Amino acid sequence: MSIGHTLLGLLESGPRHGYDLKRAFDEKFGHDRPLHYGQVYSTMSRLLKNGLVEVDGIEAGGGPERKRYAITEAGITDVQRWLATPEKPEPYLQSTLYTKVVLALLTHRDAADILDTQRSEHLRMMRILTDRKRKGDLADQLICDHALFHLEADLRWLELTAARLDKLAQVVAE
């Protein structure tokens, strides 16, 4: 996720302080990984330097001055370009799990155990996500669906690999 673009998009509804941006980000996108304040302010500093935001006002208070940021036309254009650019699909062509299975075969360990252990871990995570999805709001449901679909694909790969393990062992041994 591009934090800079996300913060810019949040600014399109109007100027905000860094604290307000963090709170809005965490409410909409940070369920699992809330932003750190330092990350917000370093990102805003970079966006300011690049002309994508401007300081709309500074308020003095009991603590440090509070800057209110506003998105610039260049920032709006940047968000629009980012939104219009498709994400690169991740093909996972060289996964760590595949490497573990091959190394187990090469070192005469039980690759089926690795696959079984991984299957159990995937099923455990799927139960957690399914429970979260059942209890969550629409955003949580969509996020959990995305993760569950990926885990289901991984499970299909685990089953297919387990079914082909003898053949893979022969190929690896060559």
Side-chain angles (χ1 to χ4, degrees):
M1 174 189 311
S2 170
I3 292 170
H5 287 112
T6 305
L7 294 177
L8 283 172
L10 290 171
L11 283 172
E12 283 199 50
S13 65
R16 298 181 191 218
H17 296 96
Y19 174 82
D20 297 328
L21 283 168
K22 179 203 175 343
R23 191 175 64 221
F25 182 97
D26 289 351
E27 285 174 7
K28 300 289 185 199
F29 311 106
H31 292 104
D32 295 316
R33 280 189 247 166
L35 284 180
H36 297 286
Y37 283 104
Q39 194 171 13
V40 172
Y41 292 111
S42 64
T43 301
M44 295 312 295
S45 178
R46 182 178 42 80
L47 295 172
L48 186 63
K49 185 177 93 178
N50 293 335
L52 302 176
V53 298
E54 60 191 9
V55 175
D56 186 58
I58 298 176
E59 298 172 9
E65 293 179 331
R66 293 181 55 188
K67 293 180 184 174
R68 188 175 54 243
Y69 298 95
I71 191 168
T72 63
E73 286 300 318
I76 292 170
T77 300
D78 198 54
V79 170
Q80 179 59 35
R81 186 178 7 216
W82 179 66
L83 290 172
T85 304
E87 291 296 308
K88 180 182 177 188
E90 294 295 330
Y92 301 105
L93 290 178
Q94 186 63 12
S95 76
T96 303
L97 185 53
Y98 172 79
T99 302
K100 285 182 173 186
V101 169
V102 171
L103 282 175
L105 293 171
L106 285 171
T107 58
H108 308 290
R109 290 183 173 91
D110 192 346
D113 280 350
I114 291 170
L115 293 170
D116 288 341
T117 300
Q118 192 63 49
R119 183 181 305 103
S120 295
E121 185 60 19
H122 271 60
L123 291 171
R124 184 187 72 77
M125 181 55 66
M126 290 176 82
R127 284 189 295 275
I128 291 168
L129 289 168
T130 300
D131 186 55
R132 177 178 165 181
K133 177 181 167 180
R134 188 174 26 258
K135 295 175 183 174
D137 60 10
L138 180 59
D140 258 355
Q141 292 169 11
L142 291 169
I143 289 167
C144 290
D145 280 340
H146 185 264
L148 285 164
F149 292 149
H150 282 273
L151 290 170
E152 286 174 7
D154 288 348
L155 280 175
R156 286 194 310 268
W157 182 85
L158 289 166
E159 294 298 326
L160 181 65
T161 303
R164 295 178 173 173
L165 207 49
D166 290 339
K167 188 172 183 176
L168 181 59
Q170 291 172 359
V171 171
V172 167
E174 294 176 355

